[in-house]
Amino acid sequence: MKSKFLNRFDYILLLCIIALTTFGILFIYSARFTSKGLINPSQYIKQIIWAGAGLLLIFLICLGDYKRVKRYIPYLFIGLLFVLLFTRLFGKRVNGAKSWIGIGSFGIQPSEFGKILFIFFMAKFLEDSRNMKGFNRFVLGNFYMFIPMALILLQPDLGTASVYFPIFLVMAFMAGVPVRYLLFELSFLLLTIFFAILPVYNQYIPPAPIPILQVLSSFNLRVFLILVTAAITSIGATVRVFFHGKKYFYWITYVFLCITGSLILSMFMQKFLTGFMDPYGNEQSFSEVLLHPSKLLEFPLKWRDLSYQMKRLLIFMRPEIDIHGAGWNIYQSKIAIGSGSFFGRGFLQGTQSHNGWLPEQSTDFIFGILSEETGFIGGLTVLSLYMILFLRIIFIIKNNQNTYGTYIATGILAMFAFHFFINIGMLMGVMPITGIPLLFLSYGGSSLLTAMISTGILMNINYHRMELH
C-alpha cells in the first residue's frame, strides 16, 4: 500500500518545481531590500504560504483520478465564464485592470485558474469531436477559446488572455486539427499585429517616414489595397472551385484571404492600440470612429497620447525612443542581466534591484534580479530546471495511453512554455513586455497555485498513464 501511494508522485517533476519555487522565494526575499530600507516585507512570507498550499494541493490531486471530473467539465466551464463576467463588473482594479476578486487584501485572479479549466474543457471537446470535420472542429474550438479570452480582454488583461491562444493551437495540433487552419490563424494574427503597428512605427522609429509605408496610413490607399487583395482572393477561389484549377490556386486564395482579413482587422486593432485620440489630442468615442471609418487610421502625433500597449510594442523595436519612460523596464532588465557577469554579484548584493532601478522586480522581472545576483551560472541553472520540466512533460505525453490525458498534458506544456519563453524573452529584449509572470518564480498566489495544481494534474496523468478509460 505504501509503495502504491509513493508511486503516485513523479519525483523528477516534484524536485524541479521545489527547486524553482525555492529560487523564487529566495529572490522575492532579496527584492524586499533596497538601499534605503525594506519594501514589501511580507511578500516572501506570503509566497512561502502559497508554496506550502500548492504542495498540499499536489498531494491531494495525486490521490484522485483526473478522469472522474470529466463529466462535470462543461458545467465548470460555464461557471468560469460567469466568474469572469462577475470579475469584470465587480472585481477589484489592480494596475488598471479589473481582474481580481476578494475581500480586503485577500484576492484571487480567476483568469489564472481559468486556464486549467479551459485546458480540461478543450481536451474534452477535442476528444469528443474526433469524428467531426476538420474545419468545423477548428471553428467551434475557436469559438470556445474566444469567449473566455474576450471576457479577460474586457478587464482588460492582454497578458493573461494571450496565454489561451497558444494553449488552443498546441492542443488542436496534437488532436489532429489540419495544420493549414492553425497556420492560417497564426499568420492572420501576426499579420494583423504587423499591419496595425507599421503605420505608427513609420512615424516614430525611422529618422524620416518611409514613403511605401504611407500606403497603410492613408484610408483611401488602404481600401484600394484591400480591394485588390480581395479581388485576387475571389479569382483564385473561383478558378479553383468552379474551373477545377490547379492546387496552387488554393494556396493563392489561402495567402491573399489571410492578407485581406488582416488588412481589415488591423485598422480596428490600430485604433485600440493607439488610443481614441485624434492627431490634435482630442478624445474620440468608439461610435464616432465607426461612423467615420477613415478615423480608424488616425493616431496621435504626440507620443504621450499613445496607449501603453502600443508604446510597449514600439519600445520593443527601439527602446531608446523613450528610455526614461516606456523603455525603462527593458533597458534596466538588460543592465541587470548583463551586470551579473558569470558568477553574479552575490545574494542580496544586486545594485539594480536594491537601488530601485529594476521595476516589478519580484513579479514580472524576477529573472532579472536572479541573473544579477547569481550571474550566468544561476541563470543557466534555472533554465536547465525548466528544460528538465518540459522534457518530463513531453515524456508523460509520449507514454500516456489515454487521449483525454494526453490533451490535458499538452495544454499544460503549452501554458508553461509560453509563460517561460515570453517572460525570459521580454527581459532580454527579444519579446515585447506583456506582463506575463515566470511560473514558479514570480511573486503571486494565483499564478503559483495555478502552476502547482497543473503539476499535480501532470503527476496524476502519469500515474494513470496505462488506463485507456
Side-chain angles (χ1 to χ4, degrees):
M1 180 65 71
K2 184 178 179 180
S3 176
K4 185 177 181 180
F5 171 76
L6 294 176
N7 287 338
R8 290 177 178 268
F9 297 94
D10 187 319
Y11 292 98
I12 296 177
L13 276 180
L14 190 61
L15 289 173
C16 276
I17 66 164
I18 288 176
L20 289 170
T21 305
T22 302
F23 269 110
I25 292 169
L26 286 173
F27 290 98
I28 290 169
Y29 175 80
S30 177
R32 72 197 282 255
F33 287 92
T34 68
S35 58
K36 297 179 180 180
L38 303 178
I39 57 170
N40 297 323
S42 65
Q43 279 192 344
Y44 80 98
I45 297 174
K46 290 180 180 178
Q47 194 77 351
I48 291 173
I49 294 171
W50 290 327
L55 291 171
L56 177 61
L57 286 172
I58 289 175
F59 172 80
L60 294 175
I61 291 169
C62 286
L63 293 179
D65 186 345
Y66 71 96
K67 298 186 292 299
R68 291 180 181 175
V69 300
K70 185 177 180 181
R71 69 179 72 178
Y72 306 109
I73 288 300
Y75 307 106
L76 293 173
F77 184 71
I78 294 171
L80 167 66
L81 300 182
F82 278 109
V83 171
L84 291 176
L85 180 60
F86 176 87
T87 304
R88 173 62 185 87
L89 296 175
F90 307 106
K92 295 167 59 179
R93 188 174 294 275
V94 178
N95 295 328
K98 277 190 175 182
S99 55
W100 295 79
I101 55 175
I103 301 173
S105 61
F106 175 79
I108 62 169
Q109 192 173 0
S111 54
E112 283 289 338
F113 297 103
K115 290 182 286 191
I116 300 174
L117 276 177
F118 174 71
I119 289 170
F120 270 80
F121 180 82
M122 193 54 58
K124 184 179 189 313
F125 163 73
L126 291 171
E127 184 184 41
D128 294 343
S129 63
R130 281 178 292 185
N131 296 324
M132 188 183 293
K133 289 184 178 180
F135 181 74
N136 295 340
R137 198 179 184 203
F138 169 73
V139 171
L140 193 55
N142 269 283
F143 173 74
Y144 291 139
M145 172 189 68
F146 178 76
I147 298 175
M149 277 189 68
L151 291 172
I152 296 169
L153 285 171
L154 288 173
Q155 293 177 355
D157 187 351
L158 179 62
T160 304
S162 65
V163 182
Y164 285 69
F165 183 70
I167 289 173
F168 168 72
L169 282 186
V170 176
M171 291 182 71
F173 173 78
M174 179 63 73
V177 173
V179 175
R180 64 183 183 275
Y181 299 144
L182 303 176
L183 184 61
F184 179 91
E185 183 171 27
L186 181 60
S187 302
F188 180 84
L189 176 66
L190 294 176
L191 280 175
T192 299
I193 296 173
F194 178 73
F195 289 143
I197 295 173
L198 215 54
V200 192
Y201 165 89
N202 195 37
Q203 175 177 327
Y204 290 100
I205 305 298
I210 302 170
I212 194 171
L213 297 184
Q214 294 295 106
V215 173
L216 297 175
S217 299
S218 167
F219 181 75
N220 292 333
L221 291 176
R222 171 86 71 125
V223 170
F224 176 74
L225 184 59
I226 290 171
L227 291 175
V228 170
T229 55
I232 296 173
T233 302
S234 301
I235 293 170
T238 302
V239 172
R240 175 64 177 167
V241 174
F242 295 103
F243 298 98
H244 306 290
K246 293 185 178 180
K247 193 171 183 179
Y248 60 76
F249 283 102
Y250 170 86
W251 292 108
I252 290 173
T253 304
Y254 180 97
V255 171
F256 280 91
L257 177 62
C258 185
I259 294 173
T260 303
S262 300
L263 285 169
I264 295 171
L265 186 60
S266 63
M267 292 193 293
F268 293 91
M269 177 174 281
Q270 179 178 307
K271 178 51 64 177
F272 280 103
L273 288 176
T274 55
F276 287 89
M277 293 283 184
D278 64 17
Y280 307 102
N282 300 315
E283 190 172 358
Q284 302 169 297
S285 66
F286 184 58
S287 58
E288 183 183 357
V289 171
L290 290 180
L291 290 172
H292 303 87
S294 61
K295 291 187 176 183
L296 286 168
L297 299 183
E298 287 185 354
F299 48 88
L301 295 176
K302 295 181 179 179
W303 174 265
R304 68 187 182 194
D305 293 328
L306 291 177
S307 68
Y308 78 93
Q309 294 99 334
M310 179 58 81
K311 286 181 180 179
R312 282 180 170 183
L313 292 170
L314 294 175
I315 286 297
F316 163 63
M317 301 177 186
R318 189 181 171 192
E320 59 270 20
I321 63 175
D322 190 15
I323 201 165
H324 295 293
W328 181 259
N329 292 8
I330 292 179
Y331 181 69
Q332 293 299 328
S333 67
K334 286 182 178 179
I335 292 177
I337 293 173
S339 66
S341 190
F342 196 79
F343 292 106
R345 292 180 175 272
F347 186 57
L348 304 180
Q349 302 302 314
T351 56
Q352 292 298 111
S353 55
H354 294 174
N355 288 324
W357 295 329
L358 186 63
E360 305 295 337
Q361 56 196 26
S362 64
T363 53
D364 299 342
F365 290 84
I366 189 72
F367 190 75
I369 184 172
L370 184 149
S371 297
E372 183 183 23
E373 297 188 3
T374 63
F376 175 78
I377 294 297
L380 183 62
T381 301
V382 170
L383 296 182
S384 299
L385 288 169
Y386 275 107
M387 290 304 107
I388 295 171
L389 177 67
F390 296 152
L391 289 172
R392 187 60 184 175
I393 300 174
I394 292 171
F395 172 84
I396 292 172
I397 293 170
K398 184 178 179 181
N399 290 276
N400 188 59
Q401 301 297 315
N402 184 279
T403 305
Y404 179 58
T406 299
Y407 294 162
I408 292 173
T410 301
I412 293 174
L413 174 62
M415 178 178 69
F416 282 2
F418 186 76
H419 272 267
F420 171 78
F421 287 110
I422 295 297
N423 184 278
I424 298 296
M426 75 179 187
L427 262 72
M428 295 180 177
V430 297
M431 289 285 184
I433 294 176
T434 54
I436 292 178
L438 186 58
L439 294 180
F440 299 108
L441 269 78
S442 293
Y443 170 76
S446 295
S447 62
L448 180 60
L449 290 176
T450 298
M452 290 284 201
I453 291 170
S454 300
T455 304
I457 293 167
L458 288 169
M459 292 184 187
N460 198 297
I461 292 171
N462 191 37
Y463 179 74
H464 296 282
R465 64 183 178 273
M466 302 308 295
E467 300 173 9
L468 295 176
H469 302 288

